[in-house]
């Protein structure tokens, strides 16, 4: 009987020794070994971005936050932020330094002033511009450039230096510049002087008139169309200006102690009508009379470069009922274009 060696099995296959030093690897050990081999391989160089809010300068490994090798293998790598995003933030934080004496170029007009003068009032555009938080362009000579008409900038500087106000004929223009530069103390001072004080009083009166601005625009449009149709240098319009709500006749006035009187709603409808004119102003409740309103109309047209002359040509004289006639005054306006 033939004997087999101890290394052969009875069926001719190699037996698995019980004291083998290298057991068959499991799937979990494959994953762990792959992760270890991956760490051993030299990775390409990566630039690490440090945030200004971080307390440590140690770079964070994208794979070190996982709890196990299997998690490292399954999780995707963390994307690196765009490096270009951090540069503008650092540039914005840097404040611009200014000299004590500031050369200025305001729309082609040159000025020189102290930095403290421009920063006299905090809540102004000039203080914000020269606070160091904003970039101010310079001209070829190195002057700080402000893209604004410099005709009245000297008046702005004089107020910032000594509180000096402009002459009366320059008040309106300087007030406009003070609005642009948001200089509140200068605005308050100018509005308490003539002619702006009178303008506030006049505007309070005009606010009582409905559709004043709309009627003013209508006068300009009608006069322009008529002048172009006739190829004429001027155009004439009929304008009704009345202060009282109801028409007043010589027969009616003695029956009332004042120009204001009340009627029932049915009676009021009898007197409702529109005078045959181009534009009608009124009524209003104020001490200012018809001549004050006529002055406002002519002045506002003159502000727009339009010459207007007016004269009274009569009354409406439209018969309403019984002995009641409309006695609203009618004025002829002559608009001259050139």
């Amino acid at each position: 009987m033939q004997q087999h060696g101890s290394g052969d099995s009875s069926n001719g296959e190699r037996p698995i020794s019980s004291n083998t030093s290298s057991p068959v690897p499991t799937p979990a050990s494959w994953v762990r070994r792959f992760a270890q081999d991956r760490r051993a391989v030299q990775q390409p160089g990566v630039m690490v971005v440090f945030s200004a809010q971080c307390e440590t300068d140690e770079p964070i490994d994208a794979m070190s936050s996982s709890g196990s090798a299997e998690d490292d293998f399954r999780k995707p790598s963390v994307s690196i932020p765009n490096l270009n995003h951090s540069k503008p933030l650092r540039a914005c934080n840097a404040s611009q330094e200014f000299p004590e004496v500031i050369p200025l170029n305001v729309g082609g007009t040159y000025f020189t002033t102290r930095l403290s003068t421009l920063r006299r009032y905090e809540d102004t555009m000039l203080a914000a511009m020269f606070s160091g938080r904003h970039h101010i362009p310079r001209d070829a000579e190195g002057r700080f450039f402000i893209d604004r008409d410099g005709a009245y900038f000297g008046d702005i500087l004089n107020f910032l230096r000594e509180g000096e106000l402009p002459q009366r004929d320059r008040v309106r223009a300087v007030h406009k510049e003070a609005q642009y530069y948001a200089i509140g103390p200068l605005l308050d001072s100018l509005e308490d002087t003539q002619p702006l004080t009178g303008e506030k009083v006049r505007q309070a009166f005009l606010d009582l008139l409905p559709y004043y601005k709309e009627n003013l625009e209508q006068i300009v449009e009608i006069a322009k169309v008529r002048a172009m149709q006739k190829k004429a240098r001027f155009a004439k319009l009929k304008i009704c200006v009345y202060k009282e709500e109801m028409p007043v006749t010589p027969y009616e006035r003695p029956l009332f102690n004042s120009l204001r009187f009340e009627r029932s709603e049915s009676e009021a409808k009898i007197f409702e009508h529109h005078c045959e004119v181009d534009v009608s102003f009124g009524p209003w409740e104020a001490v200012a009379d018809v001549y004050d309103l006529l002055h406002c109309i002519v002045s506002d047209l003159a502000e727009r470069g339009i010459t207007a002359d007016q004269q009274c040509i009569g009354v409406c004289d439209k018969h309403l009922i019984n002995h009641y006639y409309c006695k609203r005054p009618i004025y002829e306006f002559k608009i001259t274009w050139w």
Side-chain angles (χ1 to χ4, degrees), residues 40-92:
V41 178
Q42 184 177 1
Q43 299 293 334
V46 178
M47 182 180 293
V48 180
V49 178
F50 297 96
S51 175
Q53 299 177 353
C54 296
E55 297 180 356
T56 178
D57 294 337
E58 297 181 0
I60 301 175
D61 191 353
M63 303 296 296
S64 62
S65 60
S66 59
S68 63
E70 295 182 8
D71 296 335
D72 292 343
F73 177 72
R74 295 174 183 175
K75 290 183 178 180
S77 60
V78 180
S79 61
I80 299 175
N82 190 354
L83 301 179
N84 294 330
H85 293 172
S86 60
K87 292 182 179 179
L89 295 178
R90 300 192 177 207
C92 292

Side-chain angles (χ1 to χ4, degrees), residues 201-217:
V201 177
R202 189 181 82 102
Q203 190 59 46
F205 161 62
L206 294 179
D207 290 340
L208 300 176
L209 278 78
Y211 312 112
Y212 174 78
K213 293 183 178 180
E214 290 79 359
N215 289 345
L216 209 63
E217 292 294 334

